C-alpha cells in the first residue's frame, strides 16, 4: 500500500521522518523495498529532493532524561538539559553545538520556571516535522553501522542516502572503509550491495623519494587506481619521507568482479579466443603457487607476458610468448634454486600450456609442496613491484592495483616521481592479505637505473574474498561470523591516522 501511494501521480511527498520503531516489523528485504520505493518516487519529482530524517527512539531520550532529573520532578533546568544533550550526542559520536542546545532549550523551556518538562519533550518528539539536532540523528547511517543495524542500513542505501550530498557521501565512505579495515565484512557488503565489492588500499608511507623542488624536497602524494577508478592521498609538504596513513576506498562494480573472480565463466560467456589467453603464476609467501589461465583485459596482464610452468620431477620448464633472454633468465633461476638442470619446452599456445599443467598437476603439486622455490619477485627480479598469490586448481583471475607518486605543485603541473603496479591473484589467502605491509620500489623512465624510492601500503581484500565464497548471501547468513581485524601501527603512524579527516 505504501509503494502504491508513493507511485501515485498525486504524491507530493517531500519529507519522511521515521525511527527504528517504524520499520521494526519489516525484514531486511522489506526495508530495501521501502527505501527503493522512496528513491523511485524521488526520481519522479524533478527539481525536488525527498528529505529523510531518522529520529532517536523515545525511550533512549527519556532514559537519559530520568538520569539527569535528580529531584524526580519530571523537569530539567538549563544545566541539567546541557548534560542531557552532551551525553546523548557523545553516545552517537556527534558534535554537540551550543547554538542547537540554546535554540531547543528556548523552544521547550516554560516561561515561568525556565525548565524543560518531560511531557513537552515527548510532544516535541512525536510532533516535530523538521530536523532537530537533539532528537534526530546527524549521522543516521553511521549510527546504524556502529550498531550493526542491517535493516536500517539497507533502507537508507536503497533510498540512495549516499547520493543526497557530499556530507552523506563522506559518511557512507567512512562507514564502508571502517567496516572493511576492522573486519566487519557483513556490514561492508550490506552497505555496498547496490554498488559493488569494497576494497581498501591503506597508503602507509614513502621513503627516499625523488626530489623535485629546488630546495631538494618534494610535496608527494599518491594516485592509486583499480580498473578505471582512481583515488589519491593528501600531499605532504616538504619531505622525501612522507607518512600518509590514509585509507582509500574502492568499490568495484559486480560486473568487474565477475571478470576477476570467475574468469573462466566470464570468458566462456564472452567467447574469448583461447589462444589469446595468458597464464599467471603465484608465489607471494614461501613458494610458487599454481598456474591459472585468464584472458588479457585492460591492464591486468601486461601484453606479451607469460609465466613458466615448472615440473620439478621431470626437470622441464614450459614457457611461451617470452623473449629468449627472459626464457634463459627464468631457466637459470630455477636451475640455481633446485641445483639441477632443466629442459626448456615451448608451448605453442596458452591452451597447450594449460593442458600440460593438467597432465602433470599431481607431480607439480607434490614438487611445490616439498620444495621452497622463493617468491615471484625472486624469480622475476625485473618485476619486483608485482605480487601474485595463487593455488593450484584456482580459476580466479588477477587484480591489478596501480600506484603513481607525484609532487604537488600549486603553480604548475604536478611532477611525476615514480610508479609501480601490484598484481594479486584472487585466491583464498587474500582474506589475510592486509596482514602484510608491502614495500615496493618505484620506477621512473626519466631516471633509468636510479633509485627513486619506495612506497609501503596495505591492501584489504577480505570483503572481496567473502564475496567470492558466499556472494551477497553472506549478509543474511548468520551461521558465518566475521573475523575482526586489529592492526596496530607504530606510534607515529597512529597519530597521523587520527589526524586524518575522512
Amino acid at each position: 500500500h505504501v509503494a502504491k501511494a508513493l507511485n501515485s501521480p498525486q504524491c507530493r511527498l517531500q519529507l519522511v521522518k521515521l525511527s527504528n520503531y517504524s520499520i521494526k516489523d519489516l525484514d531486511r528485504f522489506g526495508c530495501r523495498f521501502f527505501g527503493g520505493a522512496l528513491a523511485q518516487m524521488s526520481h519522479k519529482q524533478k527539481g525536488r529532493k525527498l528529505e529523510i530524517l531518522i529520529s532517536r527512539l523515545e525511550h533512549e531520550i527519556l532514559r537519559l532524561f530520568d538520569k539527569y532529573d535528580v529531584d524526580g520532578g519530571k523537569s530539567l533546568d538549563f544545566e541539567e538539559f546541557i548534560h542531557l544533550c552532551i551525553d546523548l550526542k557523545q553516545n552517537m559520536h556527534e558534535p554537540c553545538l551550543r547554538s542547537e542546545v540554546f535554540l531547543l532549550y528556548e523552544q521547550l523551556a516554560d516561561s515561568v520556571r525556565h525548565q524543560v518538562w518531560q511531557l513537552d519533550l515527548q510532544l516535541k518528539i512525536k510532533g516535530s516535522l523538521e530536523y532537530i539536532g537533539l532528537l534526530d540523528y546527524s549521522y543516521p547511517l553511521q549510527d546504524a553501522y556502529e550498531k550493526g543495524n542491517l535493516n536500517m542500513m539497507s533502507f537508507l542505501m536503497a533510498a540512495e542516502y549516499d547520493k543526497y550530498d557530499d556530507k552523506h557521501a563522506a559518511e557512507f565512505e567512512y562507514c564502508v572503509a571502517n567496516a572493511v579495515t576492522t573486519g566487519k565484512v557483513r556490514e561492508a557488503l550490506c552497505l555496498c550491495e547496490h554498488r559493488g565489492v569494497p576494497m581498501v588500499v591503506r597508503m602507509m608511507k614513502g621513503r627516499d623519494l625523488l626530489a623535485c623542488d629546488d630546495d631538494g624536497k618534494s610535496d608527494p602524494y599518491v594516485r592509486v587506481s583499480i580498473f578505471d577508478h582512481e583515488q589519491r592521498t593528501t600531499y605532504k609538504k616538504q619531505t622525501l619521507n612522507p607518512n600518509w596513513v590514509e585509507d582509500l576506498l574502492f568499490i568495484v562494480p559486480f560486473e568487474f568482479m565477475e571478470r576477476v573472480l570467475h574468469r573462466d565463466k566470464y570468458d566462456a560467456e564472452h567467447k574469448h579466443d583461447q589462444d589469446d589467453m595468458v597464464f599467471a603464476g603465484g608465489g607471494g609467501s614461501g613458494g610458487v603457487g599454481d598456474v591459472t589461465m585468464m584472458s588479457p583485459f585492460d591492464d591486468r596482464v601486461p601484453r606479451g607476458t607469460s609465466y613458466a610452468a615448472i615440473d620439478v620431477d621431470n626437470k622441464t620448464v614450459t614457457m611461451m610468448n617470452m623473449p629468449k633472454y627472459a626464457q634463459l633468465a627464468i631457466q637459470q633461476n630455477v636451475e640455481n634454486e633446485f641445483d639441477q638442470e632443466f629442459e626448456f619446452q615451448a608451448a605453442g599456445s596458452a591452451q597447450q600450456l594449460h593442458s600440460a599443467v593438467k597432465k602433470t598437476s599431481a607431480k607439480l603439486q607434490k614438487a611445490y609442496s616439498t620444495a621452497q622455490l622463493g617468491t615471484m619477485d625472486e624469480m622475476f627480479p625485473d618485476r619486483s613491484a608485482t605480487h601474485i598469490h595463487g593455488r593450484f586448481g584456482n580459476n580466479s583471475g588477477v587484480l591489478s592495483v596501480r600506484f603513481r607518486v607525484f609532487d604537488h605543485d600549486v603553480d604548475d603541473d604536478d611532477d611525476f616521481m615514480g610508479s609501480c603496479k601490484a598484481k594479486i591473484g584472487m585466491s583464498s589467502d587474500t582474506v589475510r592479505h592486509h596482514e602484510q605491509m608491502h614495500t615496493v620500489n618505484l620506477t621512473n623512465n626519466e631516471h633509468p637505473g636510479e633509485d627513486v624510492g619506495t612506497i609501503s601500503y596495505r591492501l584489504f581484500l577480505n570483503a572481496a574474498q567473502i564475496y567470492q565464497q558466499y556472494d551477497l548471501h553472506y549478509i543474511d547468513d548468520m551461521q558465518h561470523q566475521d573475523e575482526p581485524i586489529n592492526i596496530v601501527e607504530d606510534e607515529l603512524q597512529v597519530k597521523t591516522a587520527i589526524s586524518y579527516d575522512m
Side-chain angles (χ1 to χ4, degrees):
H1 295 295
V2 173
K4 289 181 179 179
L6 293 175
N7 287 321
S8 170
Q10 288 76 36
C11 182
R12 295 294 183 269
L13 186 64
Q14 297 182 11
L15 181 143
V16 174
K17 193 168 187 178
L18 49 81
S19 67
N20 284 311
Y21 184 82
S22 307
I23 58 175
K24 69 179 181 66
D25 293 328
L26 297 178
D27 58 16
R28 200 176 71 84
F29 299 100
C31 293
R32 285 174 53 191
F33 180 81
F34 183 24
L38 291 175
Q40 186 177 11
M41 187 221 64
S42 182
H43 292 162
K44 294 180 180 180
Q45 297 186 138
K46 298 180 180 179
R48 291 184 298 176
K49 183 173 63 176
L50 176 66
E51 184 178 6
I52 298 179
L53 299 178
I54 307 299
S55 297
R56 292 178 172 87
L57 293 175
E58 182 177 352
H59 72 81
E60 295 177 352
I61 301 176
L62 295 183
R63 178 177 54 81
L64 288 177
F65 192 101
D66 293 336
K67 175 182 176 180
Y68 292 106
D69 181 20
V70 292
D71 60 0
K74 299 299 180 182
S75 64
L76 301 178
D77 59 25
F78 180 66
E79 184 177 352
E80 292 170 338
F81 186 73
I82 289 179
H83 284 296
L84 167 66
C85 294
I86 293 176
D87 196 339
L88 196 60
K89 288 288 190 178
Q90 285 183 343
N91 287 340
M92 301 297 109
H93 307 290
E94 297 177 0
C96 186
L97 303 179
R98 180 179 299 180
S99 58
E100 286 186 353
V101 175
F102 274 104
L103 180 61
L104 188 58
Y105 178 78
E106 289 178 357
Q107 293 176 356
L108 295 177
D110 69 278
S111 58
V112 179
R113 298 183 58 183
H114 302 290
Q115 295 207 358
V116 176
W117 295 88
Q118 186 183 88
L119 181 59
D120 292 334
L121 183 60
Q122 288 179 277
L123 292 174
K124 191 71 173 178
I125 293 173
K126 297 179 183 299
S128 172
L129 292 179
E130 71 277 359
Y131 171 78
I132 300 177
L134 175 65
L135 308 181
D136 304 323
Y137 289 104
S138 299
Y139 306 104
L141 185 63
Q142 182 177 342
D143 176 75
Y145 158 66
E146 292 179 348
K147 293 178 178 177
N149 188 341
L150 299 179
N151 284 8
M152 182 58 74
M153 283 190 285
S154 297
F155 166 76
L156 290 172
M157 299 317 301
E160 300 182 349
Y161 174 87
D162 56 317
K163 298 180 180 179
Y164 284 6
D165 52 36
D166 292 341
K167 172 193 169 185
H168 291 81
E171 180 186 356
F172 163 75
E173 291 177 3
Y174 165 78
C175 292
V176 177
N178 184 266
V180 172
T181 56
T182 58
K184 298 179 181 179
V185 176
R186 181 167 283 105
E187 285 83 349
L189 293 177
C190 180
L191 288 166
C192 296
E193 66 178 329
H194 63 304
R195 294 175 62 172
V197 180
M199 305 175 183
V200 172
V201 178
R202 177 172 292 172
M203 285 307 308
M204 298 299 297
K205 60 187 178 181
R207 291 295 180 262
D208 303 319
L209 300 182
L210 191 67
C212 296
D213 299 337
D214 295 336
D215 59 1
K217 301 290 185 179
S218 294
D219 302 326
Y221 69 92
V222 186
R223 297 179 185 175
V224 183
S225 303
I226 298 180
F227 292 102
D228 60 348
H229 184 45
E230 180 180 279
Q231 295 274 39
R232 63 176 63 187
T233 67
T234 56
Y235 68 89
K236 300 299 179 181
K237 295 183 178 180
Q238 296 292 291
T239 181
L240 301 181
N241 299 290
N243 291 299
W244 291 291
V245 195
E246 298 182 20
D247 288 340
L248 305 179
L249 174 65
F250 294 85
I251 301 177
V252 181
F254 294 116
E255 177 187 357
F256 285 72
M257 287 304 302
E258 288 300 312
R259 299 176 185 179
V260 174
L261 298 179
H262 305 291
R263 171 68 60 179
D264 51 347
K265 178 181 178 181
Y266 184 86
D267 288 344
E269 292 176 353
H270 292 77
K271 298 181 180 179
H272 288 309
D273 187 348
Q274 292 291 334
D275 286 343
D276 289 336
M277 304 180 86
V278 296
F279 280 77
S285 55
V288 169
D290 267 337
V291 180
T292 59
M293 186 168 63
M294 61 188 182
S295 300
F297 178 79
D298 293 340
D299 63 346
R300 289 188 294 280
V301 180
R303 294 297 190 265
T305 299
S306 296
Y307 298 101
I310 306 166
D311 187 340
V312 179
D313 287 353
N314 294 319
K315 301 179 182 180
T316 59
V317 179
T318 306
M319 291 175 280
M320 56 171 289
N321 293 338
M322 281 190 178
K324 186 66 175 179
Y325 70 87
Q327 296 175 0
L328 293 176
I330 294 176
Q331 187 176 352
Q332 184 64 47
N333 282 339
V334 175
E335 291 179 351
N336 291 341
E337 182 64 32
F338 291 97
D339 195 24
Q340 64 183 26
E341 293 185 358
F342 280 78
E343 178 185 358
F344 169 76
Q345 292 184 352
S349 67
Q351 189 63 35
Q352 291 180 12
L353 184 56
H354 185 54
S355 299
V357 172
K358 281 186 174 180
K359 292 178 182 178
T360 58
S361 59
K363 294 181 180 179
L364 285 171
Q365 180 71 42
K366 179 180 179 181
Y368 286 129
S369 64
T370 58
Q372 296 297 320
L373 183 57
T375 66
M376 288 294 289
D377 291 348
E378 295 168 346
M379 286 195 62
F380 304 95
D382 292 336
R383 300 182 56 80
S384 58
T386 299
H387 305 278
I388 304 177
H389 309 275
R391 294 290 185 270
F392 277 100
N394 189 346
N395 289 326
S396 300
V398 173
L399 179 73
S400 176
V401 185
R402 185 183 184 190
F403 302 86
R404 292 180 294 164
V405 184
F406 291 86
D407 171 48
H408 175 74
D409 197 324
V410 178
D411 301 322
D412 202 353
D413 293 337
D414 295 346
D415 296 320
F416 174 71
M417 301 173 65
S419 66
C420 64
K421 185 180 291 185
K423 289 185 177 293
I424 304 95
M426 300 303 292
S427 57
S428 59
D429 64 352
T430 58
V431 74
R432 297 182 179 274
H433 196 82
H434 55 269
E435 294 180 355
Q436 179 182 357
M437 184 168 69
H438 302 277
T439 299
V440 294
N441 295 316
L442 298 174
T443 59
N444 188 325
N445 291 335
E446 296 182 359
H447 300 269
E450 293 185 27
D451 183 4
V452 293
T454 64
I455 59 171
S456 300
Y457 66 92
R458 293 186 191 275
L459 184 56
F460 293 81
L461 298 171
N462 46 341
Q465 177 61 45
I466 294 299
Y467 173 77
Q468 180 182 8
Q469 290 179 305
Y470 304 106
D471 206 84
L472 293 178
H473 299 299
Y474 182 83
I475 301 174
D476 301 293
D477 186 358
M478 296 303 170
Q479 293 182 354
H480 302 284
Q481 298 299 318
D482 289 334
E483 182 176 343
I485 297 175
N486 184 22
I487 297 178
V488 179
E489 312 294 356
D490 62 50
E491 183 178 357
L492 174 63
Q493 293 167 343
V494 170
K495 289 181 180 178
T496 308
I498 292 175
S499 66
Y500 173 63
D501 185 6
M502 289 292 292

